[in-house]
Amino acid sequence: MQQELLFKVLVIGDLGVGKTSIIKRYVHQIYSQHYRATIGVDFALKVLRWDSDTVIRLQLWDIAGQERYGNMTRVYYREAVGALVVFDVTRASTFDAVLKWKDDLDSKVTLNHGRPVPAVLLANKSDHLASQQPKLDSFCRENGFVGWFETSAKENTNIEEAARCLVEHILNNEESPMIEREPGSLVLSGFTNATKGHLNCSSCVKQ
Amino acid sequence: MAAEELPSEFDVVILGTGLVESVVAAACSRVGQRVLHLDRRSYYAANWASFTFNGLLTWIQQHHEESQSEEVQDRSSLLEEGEELIYLCNSDSASISNLQVFCYTRETHEEEEEEAPTPDPDPADTTEVETSADGDNGVKETSETVSADSKEKETKDEASDEKEEEQSQAPHTDGEEPETAQPQPPTAPSQSEPVRKKISYTHLVKEGRRFNIDLVSKLMFSRGSLVDLLIKSNVSRYAEFKNITRILTYRNGNTEQVPCSRADVFASRQLSVVEKRKLMRFLTSCVEETEEQQVYNGRPYLEFLRDQHLGDNLQHFLLHSIAMVTEDTPTEVGLTSTRHFLRSLGRYGNTPFLFPVYGLGEIPQCFCRMCAVFGGIYCLRHSVQCLLVDKNTNRCKGVIDSRGQRISCSHFVVEDGFVSAERKKVATPPRSISRAVLITDASILPSDSDQQVSMVTVPPIAAGSPSVTMVELCSATMTCAPGTYLVHLTCQSVGSAHEDLSPVVTRMFHTSESHDQDERPSVLWCLYFNMADGSAAQVEGHDLPSNVHMCSGPDGGLGHEHAITQAQSIFDKILPQEDFCPPAPNPEDIIYTEEETKKEGVEEEEEKETTKEGEEEEEEKTNEEEKETKKEKEEEEEETKPLKEEHKAIQPEELWRAEVLDLLTQLVLVQKEAAQHQAQVVQLLGMLGTQNSQQIQDLQNMGRHQSLLVENHQALLLQTSRIANHLHDITKKPAAASQ
């Protein structure tokens, strides 16, 4: 039987580091220099055929550029199972902010067994750099990132790989026994309820 | 996370993130207004907020501290020709008063192993009692002994836990415990309660993040305005809900279950057959207004109930638990709230109430998220210092924020706490709500399931005391740690919260103050406070410019009608022509590239039409059909989406366009077909149920008809029970078989 998994993944990082570019590149295979702030969209959906019997629906939640002052609602963090933390390699301040974002993430959401959600660090806009960058392996180990990638939304490098790395970690967490979400929660919906099951249950298995 | 300058031009600036402000923010942003939403606090939802246990301790501490009013800076240098300034209040501490904390559990459990010892930089803190007593809130010194031992340990855990929890929150001084006293239970719990192991304070702190403790305690009526708004706007997708599973009442020293749904009534073991009949007949009859009821207008509801010859049991249930009114409430008011209760019954479960998973504090944040998604800008710990008013027009042209930045706006919406007292009109004397929050170790009425969510009505326990509404939440609501219950008590203040509510708490729960050992749940920790009653603040008639709109804080009512009505009326004043919170599109329906967006729009319309048709049907009957068509649609989407993507990648643009067009027309065709099928279903059903044909015309009618159906059903059941009774009576006493 084919199983369908739904994962809520957060894409966080400072203003202008390329979060929206990464999402659009990954989900829609497009890249543009100019984006208007994403209006009216909570998340972009990427459907992955993971293997012959697993389909993964990845909900990529952008921090609506509007919440850029760093005051995320709990609604945004709630029930996320993974995160991509993005910084811009050409701006040191965005790298400094990475730990703030990671802390904010860990303080507001954990997996059911209390461990932090897996986070992958993306060093974006790597196409702007000619020289080799310092490795971030030890930085990741020390700060609880499960991995890091030099990415470029413009040249489409490493984005698929980063997402794959994150999904693998999410799946590892899935396999370890989790406390089931309390069944019997109600979802209120009007007539656009075709996908109601998908929107609120990030860790359940659908057949 | 960078602190950068805000844009300096908005349509609407909103200060305060309470429910009313957040709904207005979402509504304005949704229809394209540029919204700036600020709050001076470090958290969302103002007095509607919910906190983790540790977050609540911080909140308590902040309120104990002297609210240092910041130096008001003179901003007149920023004035332009023909403008004047209105300064706003800097502190909102006035809305919360009489904070008192009691802890009835030990610091740690002897058997409990301490895990993960944390390094402790601070020595044991001995100032806590003084700290809280110093506050200007008149904290009561309790007679219990203060246990200073093992404080150190607690402080450690506290500090480390909060570090995790509150990283991004307001600066917080470690180790200043807000409790007034740490009374020890008179007898060691391990001796008196061999079965129930008391949960320690350390455990509560350790599990602190599992708590979501609301400052307000309300429930959502299944057909109340909040639920309707959540559904209409699609904001409901950000939250999940639990049914209140039972309604209880406290009477003659006992907690009893109130039968309110038909199923409950018939299953009830407390009611006699005669009572069941009477109750059913009463509930059926009071749905419609009758001349008989009008005779009682202006007279107490209790009198009306008495004259229905219902008996004490039923009278109590109807007055306190169903109408939830007092003995001197007029009949018309009592009947209105009874109808409100009955209308909400049966939509989602056995009781008319819902409660949001993770607590009520989620709801304002859901609206904030909706606002942000549609372009609203959010900034916490950021306030407005003063308003810029045009002297000639007496309209607010803009605001000056706490950093001295000039921000122009055409409307300003503000939480009433920020408006200085001289400028607003409030009811005199000021009304307030008394609140208590209890963490207990057992349910007030144990049952088969330990995951009940209960609403408990407690009638005045003595003459002159208020009637209390109590909500008991279990861990399944994600508001408290497993093994504990979170109990909220609310009433209109007569005295301080402690004076109003502690008599109820000591009667219904085991605290160290009550010495008898019994089956009642033990209170582990509790908090009392008073909150200003939002319904006392009036929206109209303030000394403010006409484009400044004031929102009140939480009111004492059980539902959210007051807040939602207020939000809508403010929105209508700002944007009289616009729709209030139209449904937001489903993210999965949005496809990005520009051409596609246009076509999708057309399709979406059609899809809506078809679904609407289905919607107007009686839900139960069409459910299956709908599911089928939806499946169809989903399948189509699944098929077409990857196809489109492939073409994008491989083929030259023109070919690709033609291909997409083709696919789209196909899609439209298939959908049309689906629509036709649905129309057929509609017809068939219309033929089947001729007496229900009205329902198809509008949803309102449908509701009415459904309730008619329900009535018929009730009547039928009534008849059956009557017949049964009849037979029963005939065998015994033929004379009694009248009616």
Side-chain angles (χ1 to χ4, degrees):
Chain A
M1 200 189 307
Q2 200 180 52
Q3 63 169 349
E4 192 178 300
L5 301 169
L6 183 93
F7 296 139
K8 174 174 173 178
V9 170
L10 309 175
V11 183
I12 53 181
D14 267 5
L15 185 62
V17 295
K19 298 181 292 294
T20 309
S21 301
I22 287 172
I23 292 175
K24 297 217 166 165
R25 169 61 86 184
Y26 181 56
V27 175
H28 310 288
Q29 284 89 40
I30 48 171
Y31 175 82
S32 158
Q33 296 279 1
H34 314 285
Y35 286 116
R36 290 171 302 158
T38 2
I39 297 292
V41 186
D42 268 310
F43 57 83
L45 186 73
K46 173 86 175 178
V47 181
L48 293 174
R49 304 211 172 271
W50 189 255
D51 55 39
S52 56
D53 41 43
T54 315
V55 172
I56 292 174
R57 296 166 75 91
L58 266 194
Q59 280 184 356
L60 295 151
W61 286 58
D62 203 341
I63 64 159
Q66 306 80 10
E67 288 167 284
R68 60 188 162 195
Y69 295 94
N71 306 125
M72 308 304 299
T73 48
R74 275 187 307 202
V75 173
Y76 174 77
Y77 283 110
R78 202 68 92 193
E79 290 174 10
V81 292
L84 299 171
V85 184
V86 189
F87 72 96
D88 177 349
V89 290
T90 63
R91 286 190 293 149
S93 68
T94 64
F95 179 71
D96 298 337
V98 157
L99 288 182
K100 270 189 257 168
W101 282 105
K102 179 76 165 70
D103 287 341
D104 198 41
L105 172 75
D106 290 342
S107 71
K108 292 192 175 140
V109 64
T110 55
L111 299 175
N112 283 334
H113 38 62
R115 280 189 291 153
V117 301
V120 172
L121 183 62
L122 304 192
N124 195 36
K125 306 196 186 171
S126 58
D127 53 286
H128 284 274
L129 289 177
S131 61
Q132 193 67 28
Q133 283 300 291
K135 294 284 172 240
L136 292 169
D137 292 333
S138 61
F139 176 84
C140 283
R141 253 196 317 278
E142 282 157 22
N143 296 293
F145 288 95
V146 298
W148 69 283
F149 291 86
E150 277 181 2
T151 59
S152 163
K154 192 175 174 187
E155 291 172 0
N156 197 14
T157 41
N158 269 342
I159 293 176
E160 301 266 344
E161 290 77 358
R164 178 160 278 275
C165 165
L166 183 64
V167 169
E168 274 165 6
H169 279 90
I170 295 171
L171 284 170
N172 283 342
N173 285 323
E174 283 281 298
E175 281 157 19
S176 64
M178 292 172 73
I179 308 157
E180 281 299 308
R181 277 293 319 280
E182 182 60 33
S185 289
L186 289 165
V187 178
L188 310 184
S189 56
F191 50 83
T192 52
N193 57 355
T195 51
K196 66 175 179 183
H198 305 154
L199 281 171
N200 41 72
C201 186
S202 55
S203 56
C204 64
V205 178
K206 292 213 172 60
Q207 260 89 42
Chain B
M1 295 216 149
E4 48 193 303
E5 191 133 287
L6 291 163
S8 59
E9 213 188 309
F10 287 92
D11 296 314
V12 185
V13 173
I14 301 177
L15 178 61
T17 49
L19 180 60
V20 181
E21 300 93 287
S22 302
V23 171
V24 174
C28 291
S29 170
R30 176 67 187 89
V31 295
Q33 297 283 299
R34 293 165 300 164
V35 175
L36 174 65
H37 201 173
L38 306 171
D39 202 317
R40 203 178 56 82
R41 305 166 181 88
S42 57
Y43 51 87
Y44 279 97
N47 278 349
W48 303 80
S50 57
F51 297 100
T52 61
F53 186 62
N54 307 307
L56 186 65
L57 295 179
T58 311
W59 179 84
I60 293 167
Q61 195 192 329
Q62 282 170 352
H63 277 276
H64 275 314
E65 279 163 11
E66 199 72 45
S67 51
Q68 68 276 44
S69 41
E70 297 153 41
E71 194 72 19
V72 177
Q73 276 173 291
D74 186 24
R75 298 294 187 194
S76 38
S77 58
L78 291 161
L79 279 179
E80 285 170 15
E81 188 71 23
E83 292 175 348
E84 58 182 351
L85 293 176
I86 294 179
Y87 284 92
L88 296 179
C89 292
N90 259 328
S91 74
D92 62 324
S93 54
S95 62
I96 304 287
S97 55
N98 302 327
L99 268 169
Q100 280 169 277
V101 178
F102 299 89
C103 185
Y104 299 110
T105 184
R106 297 175 158 230
E107 299 298 328
T108 47
H109 223 272
E110 286 104 278
E111 308 100 279
E112 207 171 12
E113 323 107 288
E114 272 302 302
E115 49 178 83
T118 38
D120 182 18
D122 288 323
D125 192 304
T126 51
T127 61
E128 47 250 355
V129 176
E130 289 93 312
T131 314
S132 35
D134 281 348
D136 54 357
N137 296 311
V139 175
K140 187 186 130 205
E141 283 284 355
T142 43
S143 53
E144 285 85 17
T145 51
V146 178
S147 74
D149 58 325
S150 69
K151 255 301 177 325
E152 189 174 342
K153 204 178 279 168
E154 175 204 319
T155 318
K156 279 187 242 167
D157 285 16
E158 181 77 26
S160 65
D161 237 311
E162 288 197 7
K163 213 171 178 183
E164 271 172 42
E165 190 68 40
E166 307 294 343
Q167 210 88 31
S168 65
Q169 304 227 342
H172 161 253
T173 34
D174 279 350
E176 292 217 342
E177 274 303 310
E179 294 98 296
T180 317
Q182 301 285 331
Q184 295 285 2
T187 46
S190 49
Q191 285 162 17
S192 55
E193 289 161 280
V195 193
R196 244 162 46 195
K197 182 179 146 184
K198 222 170 173 181
I199 294 160
S200 70
Y201 184 77
T202 317
H203 182 78
L204 292 181
V205 172
K206 208 174 92 200
E207 294 279 280
R209 66 193 314 155
R210 289 185 180 264
F211 288 89
N212 280 296
I213 303 170
D214 289 314
L215 295 184
V216 287
S217 176
K218 283 175 174 295
L219 296 175
M220 300 161 64
F221 278 93
S222 298
R223 287 188 200 280
S225 40
L226 178 57
V227 169
D228 287 347
L229 179 63
L230 285 168
I231 292 173
K232 180 193 173 203
S233 61
N234 254 338
V235 172
S236 58
R237 68 171 175 234
Y238 297 128
E240 283 174 85
F241 302 88
K242 285 277 177 197
N243 274 310
I244 301 301
T245 54
R246 55 185 187 173
I247 293 175
L248 308 176
T249 189
Y250 186 72
R251 197 158 69 111
N252 309 328
N254 288 315
T255 309
E256 302 172 18
Q257 183 156 0
V258 177
C260 55
S261 73
R262 283 158 292 280
D264 281 353
V265 171
F266 284 106
S268 170
R269 266 177 252 142
Q270 304 147 257
L271 299 180
S272 69
V273 179
V274 179
E275 278 179 323
K276 285 181 187 179
R277 252 166 61 189
K278 280 181 176 168
L279 182 59
M280 287 313 297
R281 193 187 313 136
F282 179 82
L283 293 179
T284 314
S285 71
C286 78
V287 174
E288 300 281 317
E289 235 177 285
T290 64
E291 281 174 28
E292 192 205 349
Q293 295 164 1
Q294 278 161 14
V295 175
Y296 287 86
N297 279 4
R299 288 156 67 189
Y301 189 42
L302 184 65
E303 207 175 303
F304 173 74
L305 292 177
R306 259 192 214 126
D307 292 354
Q308 305 296 309
H309 307 291
L310 293 161
D312 280 351
N313 257 342
L314 296 182
Q315 219 167 279
H316 179 97
F317 291 160
L318 286 165
L319 186 73
H320 296 293
S321 304
I322 291 182
M324 290 175 283
V325 295
T326 58
E327 299 198 336
D328 35 60
T329 307
T331 302
E332 62 274 20
V333 178
L335 280 169
T336 310
S337 40
T338 307
R339 285 188 200 117
H340 188 44
F341 182 101
L342 294 175
R343 236 194 341 271
S344 288
L345 207 59
R347 184 176 196 180
Y348 294 112
N350 243 357
T351 74
F353 305 113
L354 294 174
F355 186 81
V357 177
Y358 299 111
L360 283 166
E362 288 295 285
I363 302 294
Q365 294 191 58
C366 292
F367 284 99
C368 289
R369 171 72 188 171
M370 181 60 85
C371 174
V373 164
F374 281 91
I377 290 185
Y378 274 80
C379 224
L380 299 184
R381 298 181 206 89
H382 198 125
S383 190
V384 168
Q385 199 175 34
C386 44
L387 311 183
L388 292 162
V389 182
D390 188 311
K391 277 182 193 159
N392 296 321
T393 57
N394 192 31
R395 282 178 72 83
C396 173
K397 292 168 73 180
V399 299
I400 293 171
D401 74 359
S402 43
R403 294 177 190 161
Q405 190 189 342
R406 206 185 143 107
I407 298 167
S408 72
C409 63
S410 9
H411 287 274
F412 180 61
V413 179
V414 59
E415 180 191 324
D416 65 351
F418 291 104
V419 179
S420 60
E422 313 89 72
R423 291 196 175 265
K424 55 187 174 188
K425 237 174 75 183
V426 289
T428 40
R431 285 204 301 268
S432 77
I433 307 164
S434 289
R435 290 274 293 114
V437 176
L438 277 54
I439 299 171
T440 67
D441 66 347
S443 173
I444 188 86
L445 183 65
S447 71
D448 305 339
S449 159
D450 61 351
Q451 296 294 328
Q452 298 269 14
V453 189
S454 319
M455 204 276 280
V456 193
T457 54
V458 187
I461 52 171
S465 35
S467 53
V468 175
T469 309
M470 188 162 113
V471 175
E472 185 190 74
L473 302 167
C474 62
S475 60
T477 62
M478 309 297 238
T479 57
C480 55
T484 66
Y485 290 83
L486 186 63
V487 182
H488 288 283
L489 288 90
T490 313
C491 71
Q492 287 292 337
S493 303
V494 175
S496 76
H498 187 264
E499 286 160 8
D500 288 344
L501 296 170
S502 63
V504 176
V505 172
T506 41
R507 267 191 207 210
M508 299 178 71
F509 297 90
H510 174 74
T511 61
S512 65
E513 282 158 11
S514 52
H515 289 274
D516 47 327
Q517 288 302 319
D518 50 41
E519 295 295 298
R520 296 176 302 172
S522 297
V523 178
L524 305 171
W525 182 90
C526 75
L527 161 71
Y528 294 95
F529 63 94
N530 287 87
M531 185 187 279
D533 184 349
S535 63
Q538 282 153 25
V539 188
E540 304 286 339
H542 306 290
D543 180 20
L544 290 169
S546 58
N547 59 340
V548 172
H549 311 277
M550 209 176 87
C551 307
S552 64
D555 62 304
L558 183 64
H560 295 79
E561 269 55 33
H562 180 261
I564 302 303
T565 315
Q566 196 180 84
Q568 176 147 21
S569 83
I570 289 171
F571 176 81
D572 288 343
K573 267 187 239 158
I574 299 175
L575 297 157
Q577 308 297 323
E578 294 282 356
D579 193 4
F580 182 61
C581 292
N586 191 330
E588 299 198 15
D589 292 344
I590 298 171
I591 293 171
Y592 280 71
T593 37
E594 283 184 336
E595 282 136 302
E596 278 178 345
T597 332
K598 283 173 202 157
K599 280 159 203 159
E600 275 297 312
V602 179
E603 272 173 45
E604 237 178 45
E605 299 248 291
E606 256 183 82
E607 203 175 308
K608 266 181 205 163
E609 264 175 42
T610 51
T611 4
K612 234 177 203 168
E613 262 179 290
E615 186 73 8
E616 283 155 14
E617 274 307 294
E618 207 176 327
E619 286 160 41
E620 290 164 38
K621 288 182 185 172
T622 44
N623 249 354
E624 275 185 25
E625 303 291 333
E626 270 190 52
K627 263 184 213 159
E628 265 183 39
T629 35
K630 265 176 201 151
K631 228 186 240 167
E632 265 179 51
K633 278 178 204 163
E634 272 177 73
E635 275 167 18
E636 284 161 28
E637 275 174 22
E638 297 259 353
E639 280 168 24
T640 45
K641 266 185 201 161
L643 262 181
K644 279 182 212 166
E645 279 163 16
E646 268 173 45
H647 286 292
K648 256 185 253 172
I650 302 161
Q651 298 192 344
E653 207 179 47
E654 270 183 46
L655 262 177
W656 163 73
R657 264 189 205 166
E659 194 79 17
V660 170
L661 261 176
D662 210 59
L663 281 166
L664 284 173
T665 28
Q666 269 182 37
L667 211 104
V668 171
L669 281 175
V670 179
Q671 284 199 335
K672 265 186 189 157
E673 213 174 297
Q676 274 171 8
H677 282 302
Q678 279 208 333
Q680 276 176 17
V681 172
V682 171
Q683 275 179 359
L684 278 171
L685 281 166
M687 279 158 63
L688 276 174
T690 36
Q691 89 267 38
N692 293 348
S693 60
Q694 278 285 334
Q695 295 170 354
I696 302 160
Q697 289 180 359
D698 63 66
L699 280 166
Q700 236 184 355
N701 268 351
M702 190 187 89
R704 215 166 285 153
H705 276 260
Q706 273 186 330
S707 77
L708 265 176
L709 266 173
V710 168
E711 274 173 51
N712 284 344
H713 196 67
Q714 283 176 353
L716 258 172
L717 288 168
L718 209 79
Q719 292 287 0
T720 341
S721 81
R722 236 180 252 177
I723 291 166
N725 238 5
H726 217 84
L727 287 170
H728 181 75
D729 287 353
I730 285 167
T731 51
K732 283 194 172 173
K733 204 167 56 170
S738 61
Q739 295 186 356

